[in-house]
């Protein structure tokens, strides 16, 4: 069965950047049988009817224990996934398990959100852009310390770092080396409030290490990059708004954020640098929540294939393999993970770079930016 649908399709343009164009395509509902091949640099976001065709009912047979309906779940999340989570919540409310449920949502800078939850902001579950932010709520006794031992290590979706550019890429930005050239103006969020900004910092540093730079040289590169930063908004979504308003030559952001902006009607062209960072997005339940049981049900629902397909449609990379194989997201040979030896994991990166007196505190102080 096929349907004609208009989609945004990302294509590599003549200057090496990815352009988003609208195309009308005949899309199959049966993704398991759809073996159409695409250019490696082409991302095809599937039609919205797929979720319904795959069927959301009965997703959680092992957790189908009866419970009272009418629960209101409070989600506290980082700033950019409003569109995808609104869709996921609507899908959940249509399942037998979620029938009668509703949601209240709070979206904001990831680290600021984690701190607010620790300070008393009501939440049943949290969805952050930086796993180190979950640790803030673990330290506050609100999230179980084994959150990352859950399925997919507590990660519900992923994305990668990209360079969002002006139409036609007039400054010819193609690599990390271009970002530190004289006259290049960069927009990136504040690393002390935004999880996205932390990934940008670590991606810049790790890219240099993978380009055979020493630790000292890579730190110096990050400092040089921040000398070219002209705006550090509080969150990833605010950074995107600043860039779309005309500030800067390049925005350091997530692939998912760029796709979300394009799906909302903006025109963001972007490139994925050869040395990019795999961004892992964690979700966790507040362990003393009176709604812990339905919150856990919802998280398990989000990791099932139909909901993971919805993440893919909205530009996020699914962690569920069955859903992931239904999309052809670009892969870069230099993709770096947080557990790479030059970074040493979330805890080590947090302690070295983002605490008071850490490397970013020192760099921001030197360039006149915000500090911890």
């Amino acid at each position: 069965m096929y349907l004609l649908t208009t989609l945004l399709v990302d294509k590599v343009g003549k200057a090496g950047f990815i352009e988003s164009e609208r195309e009308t395509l005949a899309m199959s509902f049966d993704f398991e049988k759809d073996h159409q091949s695409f250019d490696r640099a082409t991302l095809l976001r599937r039609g919205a009817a797929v979720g319904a065709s795959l069927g959301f009912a009965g997703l959680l047979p092992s957790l189908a224990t009866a419970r009272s309906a009418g629960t209101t779940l409070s989600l506290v999340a980082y700033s950019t996934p409003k569109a995808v989570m609104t869709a996921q919540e609507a899908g959940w409310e249509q399942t037998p398990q979620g029938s009668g449920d509703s949601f209240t949502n709070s979206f904001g800078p990831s680290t600021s959100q984690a701190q607010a939850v620790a300070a008393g902001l009501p939440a049943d579950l949290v969805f952050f852009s930086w796993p180190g932010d979950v640790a803030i709520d673990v330290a506050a006794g609100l999230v179980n310390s084994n959150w990352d031992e859950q399925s997919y290590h507590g990660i519900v979706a992923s994305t990668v770092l990209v360079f969002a550019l002006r139409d036609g890429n007039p400054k010819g930005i193609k690599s990390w080396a271009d970002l530190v050239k004289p006259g290049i103006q960069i927009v990136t969020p504040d690393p002390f409030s935004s999880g996205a900004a932390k990934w940008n910092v670590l991606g810049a540093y790790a890219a240099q290490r993978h380009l055979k730079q020493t630790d000292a040289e890579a730190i110096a590169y990050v400092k040089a990059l921040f000398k070219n930063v002209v705006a550090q908004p509080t969150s990833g979504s605010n950074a995107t708004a600043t860039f779309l308003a005309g500030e800067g030559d390049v925005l350091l952001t997530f692939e998912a954020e760029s796709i979300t902006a394009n799906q909302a009607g903006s025109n963001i062209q972007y490139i994925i640098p050869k040395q990019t960072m795999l961004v892992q997005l964690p979700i966790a339940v507040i362990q003393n929540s009176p709604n812990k049981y339905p919150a856990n049900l919802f998280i398990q629902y989000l990791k099932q294939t139909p909901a993971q397909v919805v993440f893919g449609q909205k530009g996020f990379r699914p962690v569920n393999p069955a859903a992931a194989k239904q999309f052809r997201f670009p892969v870069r040979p230099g993709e770096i993970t947080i557990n790479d030896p030059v970074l040493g994991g979330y805890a080590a990166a947090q302690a070295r770079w983002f605490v008071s007196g850490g490397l970013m505190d020192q760099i921001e102080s030197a360039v006149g930016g915000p500090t911890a």
Side-chain angles (χ1 to χ4, degrees), residues 5-334:
T5 183
T6 301
L7 302 175
L8 280 173
V9 179
D10 293 333
K11 294 184 175 181
V12 177
K14 294 180 180 179
F17 56 93
I18 295 177
E19 301 171 312
S20 295
E21 299 179 358
R22 295 189 180 275
E23 291 189 357
T24 299
L25 304 173
M27 300 303 299
S28 168
F29 283 131
D30 189 351
F31 284 95
E32 297 298 327
K33 297 178 181 178
D34 182 5
H35 298 299
Q36 182 180 2
S37 60
F38 303 96
D39 182 87
R40 189 179 180 187
T42 298
L43 168 62
L44 176 61
R45 288 183 291 281
R46 305 286 187 163
V50 175
S53 71
L54 288 173
F56 285 90
L59 279 174
L60 305 170
S62 65
L63 290 172
T65 305
R67 64 181 177 87
S68 58
T71 301
T72 298
L73 292 174
S74 176
L75 170 70
V76 176
Y78 74 104
S79 65
T80 62
K82 182 177 181 179
V84 69
M85 292 311 294
T86 299
Q88 299 287 25
E89 291 164 359
W92 170 247
E93 290 165 8
Q94 297 304 308
T95 67
Q97 295 83 10
S99 177
D101 285 355
S102 60
F103 291 83
T104 62
N105 297 313
S106 172
F107 298 98
S110 184
T111 302
S112 296
Q113 291 284 79
Q115 292 168 340
V117 171
L121 177 67
D124 297 309
L125 63 160
V126 292
F127 179 23
F128 296 141
S129 61
W130 168 243
D133 291 337
V134 181
I136 293 173
D137 293 331
V138 171
L142 298 175
V143 172
N144 195 302
S145 61
N146 74 352
W147 70 270
D148 57 354
E149 297 174 13
Q150 309 308 306
S151 58
Y152 306 112
H153 302 288
I155 304 301
V156 73
S158 64
T159 187
V160 295
L161 296 186
V162 303
F163 303 159
L165 306 166
R166 297 295 172 200
D167 286 354
N169 193 13
K171 296 294 181 75
I173 296 168
K174 297 180 180 179
S175 69
W176 290 100
D178 296 324
L179 299 185
V180 294
K181 290 179 178 178
I184 297 297
Q185 296 188 335
I186 299 169
V187 176
T188 183
D190 176 354
F192 300 112
S193 62
S194 165
K198 293 178 175 67
W199 287 110
N200 291 343
V201 169
L202 297 178
Y205 168 82
Q208 301 313 300
R209 295 302 308 274
H210 279 254
L211 291 168
K212 309 303 182 184
Q213 299 296 302
T214 66
D215 176 62
E217 289 169 336
I219 293 170
Y221 171 87
V222 176
K223 182 177 180 180
L225 185 151
F226 271 79
K227 285 182 179 178
N228 280 351
V229 170
V230 295
Q232 294 188 58
T234 56
S235 70
S237 60
N238 288 340
T240 299
T242 297
F243 183 72
L244 289 172
E247 191 158 0
D249 304 307
V250 57
L251 167 69
L252 302 187
T253 187
F254 293 166
E255 176 188 59
E257 169 71 0
S258 301
I259 294 171
T260 296
N262 283 334
Q263 290 180 340
S266 298
N267 178 25
I268 289 186
Q269 300 168 0
Y270 62 91
I271 61 169
I272 305 174
K274 184 179 294 184
Q275 296 80 24
T276 191
M277 191 94 197
L278 178 66
V279 174
Q280 296 173 306
L281 305 170
I283 194 165
V285 169
I286 300 299
Q287 62 182 344
N288 61 358
S289 163
N291 299 319
K292 180 178 179 180
Y293 175 69
N296 271 313
L297 283 180
F298 180 59
I299 288 179
Q300 294 201 26
Y301 162 85
L302 291 176
K303 295 178 181 179
Q304 300 295 320
T305 301
Q308 286 282 296
V309 168
V310 174
F311 275 116
Q313 292 166 352
K314 298 294 186 181
F316 293 79
R317 299 186 177 208
V319 293
N320 176 310
K325 70 181 182 181
Q326 298 174 26
F327 300 88
R328 294 297 182 93
F329 285 92
V331 177
R332 292 293 180 261

Side-chain angles (χ1 to χ4, degrees), residues 192 354-358 360-361 364 370-372:
F192 300 112
F354 305 117
V355 298
S356 179
M360 276 314 299
D361 216 359
E364 294 279 24
T371 56

Side-chain angles (χ1 to χ4, degrees), residues 326-348:
Q326 298 174 26
F327 300 88
R328 294 297 182 93
F329 285 92
V331 177
R332 292 293 180 261
E335 187 174 278
I336 304 163
T337 71
I338 192 64
N339 292 318
D340 188 282
V342 304
L343 297 173
Y346 305 117

